[in-house]
Every structure is written in structure tokens, then in C-alpha cells.
Amino acid sequence: MIHYHAETFTPAEQDVLRRYVTNLREPVFALVNLPEVVKGALFARYSRTHKSLRRLLLDEFVDDLDISGDETIDATVGVARAEQLYQRVFVEYGDDSVAQLGAVHLACEQASNLLTKVLERGRLMSYLEQSTRYLAYDERFGGRYRYYRPPSVMSSRAGTRFVGDVDRMFDAYGDMVRRMTEWLTEHPDATPGTSDLARRRAIRAQAFDSARGLLPAASLSNVGIFGTGQAYEALLLRMRAHPLPEARSYAQMMLTELRKVIPSFLRRVDQPDRGVVWSDYLEANRNSMSEFAADLFADEVAEPVAEVVLTDWDPDGETKMLAAMLYPYTSLPESQIAARVADMTEAQRMELVQRYCGERTNRRHRPGRGLERLDYRFDVLGDYGSFRDLQRHRLLTIEWQPLGPQHGYAVPALVDAAGGGEAYDDVIELSAELYDTVAETVGALEASYAVAMAYRVRYSMQFNAREAMHMIELRSQPQGHTDYRRIVIEMYRQISEVAGHHAVAAMLSHVDVSEGILGRLGAEEATARRRSAEPA
């Protein structure tokens, strides 16, 4: 039996909520009968609040809605009528693409950090996840820390230890946040700033960043998803075939709620001859590959490698990119354009790149699709916390290996500087010991819940130069987490020095390699200035 914390609402609050959410108790529910801008704003608040979406709607949005004309609306009824309507449209057009025309805002709450990576895998969906940077994760709900308790673990002889040890990890996280807050407050390099509020916010964010590696992968998060019926169908088919029991049970809750809004678009998911066969196919392939790989590498031991390795690129990629830049501006065949580019001088090539990029006054100004002509593939061995952030980039191919303690971890430099290294090590060792106990008792998959986010996970990322521009420039900004900043800055260096793609590196003109003890201070000061300029 999976335990999810259920909020309580007054009768008056229930009357309001029934108009806008598809249920009042389950952790998964859809938003209905709301303006699109309100749905988007609700999800935007997800990353910086402990509140559930229902509570957020009641506390911050209901007063701005005109609810006088919808007293009879009840989002929990009317499924049969909706089914008839969608089925009529679906049958009339008879095309899978029709399922792209119905979209849903779905709240997915109390999901473990293992499950959030499953939820956020699809490319053609939008996600907003609760952040570890802006929220204290040691706050209790219903008297308990917010982490997933796998039924298979809780019913085993390791259950009591799992709860005790994970509680200790959350205790230590809270202690580390307080230690880092005090140390940063007194640090001479953390005093500058035009706004005391901005400085306090920056210190708080840095303290959370420094401590987040102590949180286990079982830590719960809220995820807001916006997607079409077709995208949800693909997601549910994958989840129903996933080896993680939490993913499979969560998929059923999602299907129940989605069918209250777009029922016919998801009709095939659990049909034996359609969705069930599809999910069985995915599961059979995964099991077959797991068995083959286990046999093939039975005697292999991982060789030591750098944190970031550029494993594949096209030596002629820049030349091909230049031809692609010119292609839409001529009436010539590509082969003829490529031949002309091959004869260009270095000065001409750089002028072409400069003209194509133009004056990029900020990182949001990105040139066209000519940069999509060449790809880079990286093998990364980085901490799980950073992987969580980088995995959310969707215009790339990312694959990751199982999470465990076998690849080691690193203590953040600021934690060591603040004298917290030994306490950090103690928690990490506790996590590894708990992993071993659960793995021996239940299995390695469920043991992953016990793994602290400071532990490294191996993953590959493949993306084109245009996505490199977006991801590396965004994630290298000073307000970013130190660990993923280090990873993307190394990617930038290897694109230039290993691949030798100097023109591509030159186009990434908003990469920021600066250092500072309070990386978010500049961003918080800018926010404070904007707020002070707003009319009262």
C-alpha cells in the first residue's frame, strides 16, 4: 500500500476546488475550467513553493477569478459526456494526429526524484519541477519528512532501517543548510550587494545548493506537466513498462485523471491488443538487452575516466554547418554550396559566421537552424543532483545508467571551506550502507531510493550546436549550480579544443566562466530592482 499525504479542505474550499481540479485527494489531478494563463502561472509557482497546487490555487489565485457564473461546474463529473464527444471526433477523423489537438495541465505531486526523471523524459511536453534551490526540504508534512517509502522495502526486514536512516539524512541536510547559512552570512566575499533582501535570498539559495547532495533520491517533488493526448499516451506506455513499481502505479493514477479530460485520446493505453501489447514490447526489449549486456560485460570493470568526455564529433562538421547556413539564401543545390564553402578563406568563413549570428546582445538571441547540422556526444560522470537539472533539456538525446554509490561522490568546495566536510562524509557513507542493505534484501532498483544526490551517475548526452548554445550558455551562468556549471563549461572547452570547432565556440559568446561565492547575488539584485520599479 502506497501512502500519499492527503490534504484536507473546508467544505467551502471543496466547493471551489471541484470546479477546477479532477479530484480532491489524490496526488495526481488535472486542471480544468481555468484560463490558460492561470494554469501556466500556477505551474510557474511550483518550483518555489512547498504548497500543493490545490492550496496554491485557493491561497493565491481564486480571488482573481470570476467564479460567480460557474457554481454548477463540477470537474469530477461529466466523464461520460466528454467520452462521447471525443470519441465522435476521434472516429470521424481516424488519425493519430487528432490526439495532438487536445492538451492537459496535469499536476503530479509527491513523486520521488527517481520518478520525476521518468515523467520528464518525453521531448514533446513541458515540465515545471519543484526546486531544491528555493525550498527547505527538511520541512515535515503530516509529521513526516517528504520522501517516498517503497512498499517492497517497507514490507521487508529493511523497512525500519530505511525510515530511520533516511530520516537521519534529512536531519543532516537541515543541519548543513543552517551551517552553510551562518558561514556564508559571515563570509567577507558574501557582503557586497545593493539589496539586503537580495543578499539574504542569494545566501539561502547557496546554502540549499551546498546541502542538496545529502538528500536521497527518494525525496519527493511536485511536477507540473503540460502535454497533448498523444504525448501523454507515449508517456503512459513507457511508464506501464517501467521496472520501477512506483512508475507503474503512478501511471494508473495519471490515466484515471487524464481520462476525465481527454478520454478517447487515451483509449488505447490499456487495451490488450493495443497499448498492453506495446508496453509488453518495451518491457521485453529492456529485459532482453539487460540480460545480453550482463553476459557481455560480466567480467568488465569500469575504467577511470574524466567527469566529461567528448566521445564523438564530425571533424568536417564546421564546414557542413557553414554550407547549411548559406543554404536557405541561395537557389543552388547543397553539393554546389558545399564545394564553394570548401574554397572559402578563413576570413570569409569567420565573416559568414559573424553575419549568421549577428549582434547577440543576450543569450536568448539565437541564430537559425544551420547550427543543427553538426552533433556532439558527451559521456558524463557527474553527481545525480546536476543530472536532474541537465536531463530536463529536451532537444537532445540523453541516456543514463542505474543510480548507485559505485562511482563515488564529491564534497562541495564551500562545504569543506565551512568545515562541514566530515559531517557530509558521514551522511554519504550512511547512504551507501543503506543502499547495500536494501539491495541485498529487496534489490538494486529499490535500493536506488537510498542513494544521496551527491553520488555520481553516468549518462550520455548528444546534441547539435544550436542546443549546445542554449544549454551551455544557460547552465554556465553564475546563478547556476556549481556542479552543472563545471560540467557545461568543460563541454564548451572540449568543443573548442578537442573537436577544434573554434567557430562554434566563438558563437557561444554568452558562456560565463566567472567565479563567485554567491552566484545568485546578481540575479537576486536584478529581481529586487524590477520589484522596486513595479507600480504599487
Side-chain angles (χ1 to χ4, degrees):
M1 180 67 179
I2 301 173
H3 174 84
Y4 290 104
H5 176 69
E7 281 188 283
T8 57
F9 303 101
T10 67
E13 289 174 334
Q14 292 177 31
D15 288 342
V16 172
L17 286 174
R18 284 195 180 95
R19 305 165 190 177
Y20 305 119
V21 299
T22 53
N23 75 71
L24 300 182
R25 292 186 61 82
E26 298 299 321
V28 179
F29 54 93
L31 295 177
V32 294
N33 302 323
L34 286 168
E36 292 301 309
V37 66
V38 174
K39 297 176 188 175
L42 274 166
F43 276 10
R45 285 282 286 119
Y46 241 159
S47 69
R48 302 194 181 197
T49 180
H50 280 300
K51 294 179 181 180
S52 72
L53 206 71
R54 299 182 187 96
R55 178 53 58 189
L56 201 59
L57 176 62
L58 291 169
D59 290 353
E60 300 185 23
F61 288 85
V62 164
D63 289 344
D64 295 325
L65 297 174
D66 179 9
I67 63 173
S68 60
D70 61 4
E71 285 108 344
T72 61
I73 292 177
D74 187 341
T76 64
V77 301
V79 180
R81 182 181 176 187
E83 172 74 9
Q84 293 171 4
L85 174 63
Y86 280 116
Q87 184 64 13
R88 188 160 63 247
V89 173
F90 212 54
V91 170
E92 181 178 349
Y93 288 95
D95 195 315
D96 281 1
S97 62
V98 174
Q100 297 172 8
L101 304 178
V104 179
H105 286 82
L106 191 72
C108 297
E109 300 187 344
Q110 302 181 55
S112 77
N113 269 269
L114 293 182
L115 177 58
T116 61
K117 299 304 97 189
V118 180
L119 292 172
E120 297 166 355
R121 188 175 178 88
R123 290 189 178 99
L124 301 179
M125 305 183 91
S126 298
Y127 313 99
L128 208 298
E129 182 179 347
Q130 199 171 44
S131 174
T132 56
R133 160 168 286 176
Y134 304 111
L135 304 173
Y137 264 63
D138 60 334
E139 291 192 13
R140 295 175 184 261
F141 287 82
R144 309 199 310 179
Y145 283 132
R146 297 178 69 246
Y147 61 86
Y148 184 71
R149 294 159 172 81
S152 59
V153 176
M154 298 306 295
S155 62
S156 74
R157 57 182 176 83
T160 301
R161 177 173 178 180
F162 181 85
V163 171
D165 284 359
V166 174
D167 276 358
R168 288 172 60 192
M169 294 174 71
F170 274 82
D171 289 340
Y173 162 84
D175 292 342
M176 187 62 68
V177 168
R178 288 183 284 276
R179 175 197 289 266
M180 296 306 302
T181 300
E182 294 172 2
W183 184 80
L184 289 165
T185 300
E186 298 171 359
H187 198 285
D189 292 342
T191 55
T194 57
S195 165
D196 187 54
L197 175 62
R199 178 174 174 271
R200 290 199 307 271
R201 287 178 177 272
I203 288 174
R204 179 178 170 87
Q206 188 63 69
F208 287 156
D209 274 357
S210 299
R212 83 168 181 185
L214 300 180
L215 292 171
S219 302
L220 296 180
S221 185
N222 295 335
V223 180
I225 304 178
F226 177 71
T228 66
Q230 188 177 59
Y232 277 117
E233 181 185 56
L235 172 60
L236 291 173
L237 291 174
R238 290 196 307 272
M239 291 178 69
R240 287 165 63 88
H242 202 278
L244 197 67
E246 182 190 9
R248 298 198 298 271
S249 62
Y250 211 88
Q252 187 56 49
M253 288 192 290
M254 293 171 65
L255 180 60
T256 298
E257 300 309 309
L258 287 166
R259 278 182 168 159
K260 296 176 182 178
V261 188
I262 48 172
S264 289
F265 293 169
L266 300 169
R267 176 177 290 274
R268 302 178 300 189
V269 170
D270 54 0
Q271 287 184 345
D273 59 337
R274 304 300 291 274
V276 173
V277 173
W278 196 336
S279 293
D280 288 345
Y281 162 80
L282 296 174
E283 184 175 10
N285 282 9
R286 185 191 67 247
N287 292 337
S288 177
M289 283 300 301
S290 296
E291 181 181 343
F292 185 85
D295 290 341
L296 185 64
F297 298 110
D299 300 323
E300 297 279 349
V301 177
E303 299 174 353
V305 295
E307 182 177 47
V308 180
V309 179
L310 177 60
T311 59
D312 189 60
W313 70 94
D314 186 349
D316 299 321
E318 278 199 340
T319 300
K320 295 174 180 176
M321 179 188 69
L322 297 177
M325 289 176 174
L326 289 166
Y327 185 85
Y329 300 100
T330 79
S331 57
L332 303 175
E334 189 170 32
S335 58
Q336 191 173 345
I337 299 171
R340 180 66 187 86
V341 167
D343 292 334
M344 291 173 66
T345 65
E346 186 64 23
Q348 288 175 317
R349 288 175 172 238
M350 293 308 296
E351 182 182 359
L352 168 56
V353 169
Q354 185 175 11
R355 286 176 178 269
Y356 192 79
C357 281
E359 295 294 328
R360 297 184 63 225
T361 56
N362 68 65
R363 62 177 174 78
R364 292 175 177 82
H365 295 168
R366 286 186 285 275
R369 294 185 175 181
L371 277 70
E372 297 175 12
R373 183 63 178 85
L374 72 165
D375 282 348
Y376 303 101
R377 185 175 179 87
F378 288 91
D379 190 26
V380 183
L381 185 60
D383 67 287
Y384 189 72
S386 295
F387 161 75
R388 293 168 59 256
D389 295 310
L390 297 179
Q391 186 259 358
R392 288 198 292 271
H393 287 267
R394 294 184 294 284
L395 295 183
L396 47 73
T397 298
I398 183 166
E399 296 281 2
W400 61 94
Q401 297 177 357
L403 175 64
Q406 67 270 24
H407 298 304
Y409 67 97
V411 179
L414 288 182
V415 170
D416 266 336
E422 184 175 348
Y424 201 95
D425 288 336
D426 289 343
V427 178
I428 299 301
E429 291 173 9
L430 174 69
S431 169
E433 292 170 0
L434 179 58
Y435 173 90
D436 289 340
T437 297
V438 176
E440 293 172 1
T441 307
V442 182
L445 185 62
E446 286 79 1
S448 296
Y449 286 108
V451 178
M453 293 186 191
Y455 275 108
R456 298 185 181 100
V457 63
R458 194 187 303 278
Y459 54 101
S460 66
M461 302 182 74
Q462 184 170 328
F463 45 83
N464 59 48
R466 196 162 190 261
E467 176 63 13
M469 176 178 284
H470 166 66
M471 184 181 73
I472 295 175
E473 288 186 340
L474 170 65
R475 296 300 184 177
S476 67
Q477 298 304 300
Q479 60 265 36
H481 195 287
T482 302
D483 292 332
Y484 67 60
R485 285 193 74 211
R486 183 180 65 251
I487 289 171
V488 299
I489 289 172
E490 180 60 19
M491 289 177 172
Y492 169 69
R493 185 193 70 79
Q494 293 190 28
I495 287 173
S496 176
E497 298 178 13
V498 178
H501 291 178
H502 305 302
V504 174
M507 287 189 288
L508 273 60
S509 54
H510 291 279
V511 175
D512 194 325
V513 299
S514 62
E515 297 181 3
I517 196 166
L518 288 184
R520 277 209 59 81
L521 185 57
E524 294 294 350
E525 287 179 337
T527 299
R529 287 193 297 270
R530 287 195 299 271
R531 285 175 175 162
S532 64
E534 291 177 353

